[in-house]
Amino acid sequence: MMFIPNLLSSESGSESIVRARIVVVEDEPDLRDAVAEYLGASGYDVATAESASAARTLLETQSFHLAILDIAMPGEDGLSLGRWMRSKTPIGIIYATAAGTALDRIVGLELGADDYIVKPYELREVLARVRSVLRRVPQPAEPQGAKAETTANRRFMSFGPFHADLDGRFVTGANGTVIDMAKSEFDVLEVFLTRANRLLTRAAISEAIGFVEDPDSSRAVDIRIMRLRKKIEADPANPKFLRTVRGEGYIFSLPTGEGN
């Protein structure tokens, strides 16, 4: 079920509508207000903050599904704020960066960003990227009764010592501990698990995870795979599962009998 622009949640056996909540953190008032107004008109519940400190205060009393963070803000920057947000809550993050600052975008992706946008904003592109990220954000936790009823229909896959709940969107290790994994990393893992033992090009992976087409998509895929290997491979330099096929792409090797 997608967060575009509303969410369905189960309450006492009935469905209720939950508007996807977005926080826009931007120090330029005109830009901040324009993005908030456009997303609000598109059906989202939008809050704004003019600084990282204001955003931290906001998150003390409110929860959000997605944050749009300007990287270059006075005081604490967006990258630091994003790290803090991710330590507190499973929130989708889109970083905003000035045109031409590819280094900021790469650093943002390495820190677990789900996407980025380039300033000055094209509002239709902002909306497209928001929709793309929200498609991949986990749904709010269900009440225990509803969860028990749907467990039988959930999709689970195993590989080596790991167990992935594709609907709950989390991975556990051999001792049952949940692996700390950004949503963007789980997106890539899910693509590979559901297409195991098949060669996937970077373009195919980008399309599967809903990237808006741009010249940096291939680099973004590589960064996510690099981070993912660090979490599921005993030796990331010599991967057992997620292997590179030089000049062509990647393949996730899943031995026969695994995956169920």
Side-chain angles (χ1 to χ4, degrees):
M1 199 167 296
M2 295 186 296
F3 292 59
I4 308 175
N6 298 312
L7 307 170
L8 289 176
S9 65
S10 176
E11 293 184 0
S12 303
S14 62
E15 289 185 334
S16 62
I17 299 297
V18 180
R19 288 163 64 90
R21 297 183 298 277
I22 302 172
V23 59
V24 179
V25 187
E26 167 63 61
D27 65 305
E28 297 181 38
D30 292 343
L31 198 53
R32 182 175 67 242
D33 293 345
V35 173
E37 181 179 351
Y38 189 83
L39 293 178
S42 299
Y44 297 103
D45 186 358
V46 185
T48 62
E50 71 279 5
S51 66
S53 61
R56 285 173 179 260
T57 300
L58 199 60
L59 264 73
E60 290 177 359
T61 57
Q62 299 184 46
S63 62
F64 298 93
H65 301 104
L66 174 68
I68 300 176
L69 308 179
D70 181 22
I71 289 181
M73 293 186 292
E76 183 182 5
D77 63 27
L79 296 174
S80 173
L81 176 62
R83 287 196 301 271
W84 176 81
M85 285 184 170
R86 273 280 166 77
S87 72
K88 299 295 182 181
T89 180
I91 188 172
I93 292 178
I94 299 177
Y95 284 121
T97 180
T101 54
L103 180 59
D104 281 346
R105 296 198 292 273
I106 291 171
V107 171
L109 291 170
E110 290 176 340
L111 292 175
D114 294 288
D115 207 342
Y116 61 86
I117 49 180
V118 177
K119 299 167 65 174
Y121 303 137
E122 164 49 54
L123 292 177
R124 287 176 296 180
E125 181 187 358
V126 174
L127 180 59
R129 292 183 182 272
V130 163
R131 286 175 169 169
S132 176
V133 171
L134 286 176
R135 286 189 185 99
R136 311 192 296 269
V137 173
Q139 297 181 45
E142 297 175 319
Q144 286 300 113
K147 185 176 293 185
E149 293 173 4
T150 59
T151 297
N153 298 320
R154 293 175 82 103
R155 297 172 300 149
F156 297 95
M157 295 191 72
S158 299
F159 56 102
F162 300 100
H163 303 278
D165 181 338
L166 299 184
D167 295 311
R169 293 181 62 82
F170 65 88
V171 178
T172 56
N175 58 1
T177 302
V178 176
I179 306 301
D180 181 16
M181 190 171 294
K183 284 180 281 298
S184 56
E185 295 162 10
F186 191 93
D187 292 339
V188 173
L189 178 62
E190 182 175 12
V191 169
F192 282 114
L193 286 176
T194 55
R195 299 163 178 80
N197 301 317
R198 290 168 48 186
L199 175 65
L200 298 177
T201 64
R202 290 176 177 82
I205 298 167
S206 294
E207 182 178 357
I209 62 178
F211 269 1
V212 177
E213 186 63 30
D214 63 59
D216 291 324
S217 287
S218 292
R219 174 60 174 156
V221 166
D222 290 340
I223 290 172
R224 282 161 168 76
I225 288 174
M226 176 187 67
R227 294 203 317 258
L228 187 57
R229 279 176 172 158
K230 291 179 180 178
K231 298 180 179 182
I232 65 171
E233 300 284 1
D235 181 3
N238 297 285
K240 170 186 175 183
F241 302 113
L242 218 172
R243 298 187 294 107
T244 300
V245 180
R246 189 175 299 277
E248 297 188 57
Y250 298 94
I251 187 168
F252 196 93
S253 297
L254 198 61
T256 303
E258 291 194 34
N260 297 316

